Amino acid sequence: IGEIQRFLRDDGTVKVSRSVKETARHIRRARDELAKRLGRQPHINELAEELGMDPAEVVFTQDAMRAPASIHETVFE
Amino acid sequence: MSATRNVMRLEFSSRSENESFARVAVAAFVAQLDPTVEELTEIKTAVSEAVTNAIIHGYGDREGMVSITCTLEGDVVEIMIDDQGVGIEDIELARQPMYTSRPDLERSGMGFTIMENFVDKVEITSRPRQGTRVRLVKRLKSRTTSEH
Amino acid sequence: MSATRNVMRLEFSSRSENESFARVAVAAFVAQLDPTVEELTEIKTAVSEAVTNAIIHGYGDREGMVSITCTLEGDVVEIMIDDQGVGIEDIELARQPMYTSRPDLERSGMGFTIMENFVDKVEITSRPRQGTRVRLVKRLKSRTTSEH
Ligand SMILES: Nc1ncnc2c1ncn2[C@@H]1O[C@H](COP(=O)(O)OP(=O)(O)O)[C@@H](O)[C@H]1O
Ligand SMILES: Nc1ncnc2c1ncn2[C@@H]1O[C@H](COP(=O)(O)OP(=O)(O)O)[C@@H](O)[C@H]1O
Ligand SMILES: [Mg+2]
Ligand SMILES: [Mg+2]
């Protein structure tokens, strides 16, 4: 998480699309680790807590910059 | 979260750029009930399918407004997606897996089937030339196991 | 993104649980213009302040609806936050840094000052017992700069 914060703080000109892409990767990793540790699907609050993020922000970052074309991919990911 | 109803309503131009915004807005609202990440993905996917239909089929080349009403009550999420587009002539036919009226757009005809798989109830109300309402209901089954 | 106007409208119950949802919904809509992280944070913060005001000051213990209308046109974002709450008697006074009518709630009185710092224009229209509209306008300076 420190890494994400450093990334976000570094440069006032970082585009949201780029930062979201980076953070989304951290979220995916945290979700997988949490699922493994808990032995079940994590709840959004658990994941948010793990990441030190607001749950709604986690939702935003997972999805906000996704192109409409990839709608069907979300089903099978 | 209190147990009383919490309501939000969303309205936006029927553009494909707005699909991810609509999906995120609904998911961010539902996140209050602390669903699993998986349940949230299911809800987002179902909403996406209904919103895409409103944009592509309902309005086509025209631009209109799509509206979404979402209600949280206890562990039940109700989502209505409305358009004032062309409407559906034969709802039974439209619901059939693989049926699409637009094979030219490389549509798979699986939108309603996906919705039915991801939420507990899918109701379609439509009138030709008046518009379409899709009502999705999902109970968050996992909710009680979350406290520990 | 095409250059024509894109519009969304959002309405939700005046509950503090809805603040983060509202902030994220606006962010997801504005994200289409691919602002910088800093610009998006500024917009979210300004929206948060206005939404909190509508909930705490506009409605207080009552529950009402807050609405947000957001328009994207070129590189300009316009956001209106409306409530039908108690309204503001003296807008000049309300805008003063450090002024708060609710020191009992440990409010800092800095909400409008924060908004003014983070967006280009803050307009307040209000009528006692009718409600308040806050209009925020921000031009995204980053939009023309290239990806890196
Ligand atoms: N909002 C809508 N307005 C008009 N027609 C619709 C709407 N939603 C669905 N339909 C009709 O139902 C059919 C099946 O929808 P769906 O299962 O999502 O498949 P697809 O979108 O791939 O065609 C569509 O091809 C269209 O004819
Ligand atoms: N939506 C609103 N409805 C009624 N009064 C408002 C509203 N927004 C702001 N006000 C008034 O303006 C004052 C200053 O607002 P603000 O600068 O955000 O400070 P604070 O919220 O900390 O009091 C508030 O204390 C309140 O009296
Ligand atoms: Mg479809
Ligand atoms: Mg304030």
Side-chain angles (χ1 to χ4, degrees), chain A residues 11-74:
Chain A
D11 183 354
T13 67
V14 176
K15 291 282 193 170
V16 164
S17 53
R18 193 178 130 203
S19 123
V20 157
K21 223 173 285 169
E22 292 285 319
T23 315
R25 211 177 308 141
H26 289 269
I27 293 177
R28 266 195 306 276
R29 200 178 309 147
R31 184 194 62 193
D32 294 344
E33 279 168 14
L34 202 54
K36 204 179 294 170
R37 201 187 318 145
L38 298 169
R40 57 169 171 78
Q41 283 293 321
H43 286 254
I44 187 72
N45 288 351
E46 292 171 326
L47 180 58
E49 201 172 302
E50 179 84 4
L51 290 154
M53 288 171 76
D54 178 284
E57 292 287 346
V58 174
V59 168
F60 171 85
T61 311
Q62 277 184 313
D63 222 23
M65 307 299 286
R66 203 174 276 190
S70 62
I71 284 167
H72 289 272
E73 288 163 28
T74 61

Side-chain angles (χ1 to χ4, degrees), chain C residues 49-59 81-83 85-91 93-103 106-115 124 126 131-134:
Chain C
E49 291 294 338
V51 168
T52 305
N53 282 353
I55 295 173
I56 298 184
H57 303 301
Y59 293 112
I81 299 94
D82 289 279
D83 67 64
V86 297
I88 303 176
E89 294 276 350
D90 185 341
I91 293 176
L93 179 64
R95 286 187 99 121
Q96 298 292 321
M98 318 282 283
Y99 172 78
T100 179
S101 57
R102 300 298 300 270
E106 305 195 21
R107 308 301 307 167
S108 65
M110 292 302 285
F112 284 126
T113 308
I114 290 169
M115 291 182 233
I124 308 168
S126 187
T132 301
R133 160 170 293 183
V134 175

Side-chain angles (χ1 to χ4, degrees), chain C:
Chain C
M1 266 297 295
S2 68
T4 60
R5 277 157 61 96
N6 191 3
V7 190
M8 76 92 164
R9 186 150 182 281
L10 188 63
E11 236 183 344
F12 53 91
S13 315
S14 62
R15 300 173 172 208
S16 55
E17 303 99 278
N18 287 336
E19 280 174 15
S20 66
F21 142 71
R23 189 175 61 226
V24 161
V26 171
F29 189 67
V30 174
Q32 295 179 20
L33 297 183
D34 199 15
T36 64
V37 172
E38 199 169 40
E39 286 172 325
L40 197 63
T41 303
E42 290 167 350
I43 290 170
K44 283 192 291 190
T45 307
V47 168
S48 269
E49 291 294 338
V51 168
T52 305
N53 282 353
I55 295 173
I56 298 184
H57 303 301
Y59 293 112
D61 294 329
R62 286 193 297 149
E63 188 168 312
M65 296 300 279
V66 179
S67 82
I68 301 182
T69 311
C70 184
T71 309
L72 310 179
E73 191 162 13
D75 53 2
V76 177
V77 181
E78 182 200 62
I79 304 166
M80 292 192 291
I81 299 94
D82 289 279
D83 67 64
Q84 282 80 54
V86 297
I88 303 176
E89 294 276 350
D90 185 341
I91 293 176
E92 279 315 297
L93 179 64
R95 286 187 99 121
Q96 298 292 321
M98 318 282 283
Y99 172 78
T100 179
S101 57
R102 300 298 300 270
D104 54 313
L105 296 177
E106 305 195 21
R107 308 301 307 167
S108 65
M110 292 302 285
F112 284 126
T113 308
I114 290 169
M115 291 182 233
E116 275 160 11
N117 270 287
F118 284 170
V119 302
D120 299 320
K121 200 187 280 183
V122 179
E123 277 171 22
I124 308 168
T125 349
S126 187
R127 279 217 228 160
R129 288 172 305 282
Q130 309 257 322
T132 301
R133 160 170 293 183
V134 175
R135 180 169 171 266
L136 309 173
V137 182
K138 188 177 177 78
R139 180 179 296 272
L140 302 177
K141 295 181 191 66
S142 63
R143 248 209 114 197
T144 45
T145 68
S146 62
E147 296 290 297
H148 53 274

Side-chain angles (χ1 to χ4, degrees), chain A residues 42-46 63 71, chain B residues 19-20 23 34-35 37 49 148:
Chain A
H43 286 254
I44 187 72
N45 288 351
E46 292 171 326
D63 222 23
I71 284 167
Chain B
E19 281 172 15
S20 70
R23 193 168 61 222
D34 193 22
V37 175
E49 291 294 337
H148 58 269

Side-chain angles (χ1 to χ4, degrees), chain A residues 72, chain B residues 48-50 52-54 56-57 100 107-112 115:
Chain A
H72 289 272
Chain B
S48 269
E49 291 294 337
T52 305
N53 282 353
I56 297 183
H57 302 302
T100 179
R107 307 302 307 167
S108 64
M110 292 302 284
F112 284 126
M115 291 181 233

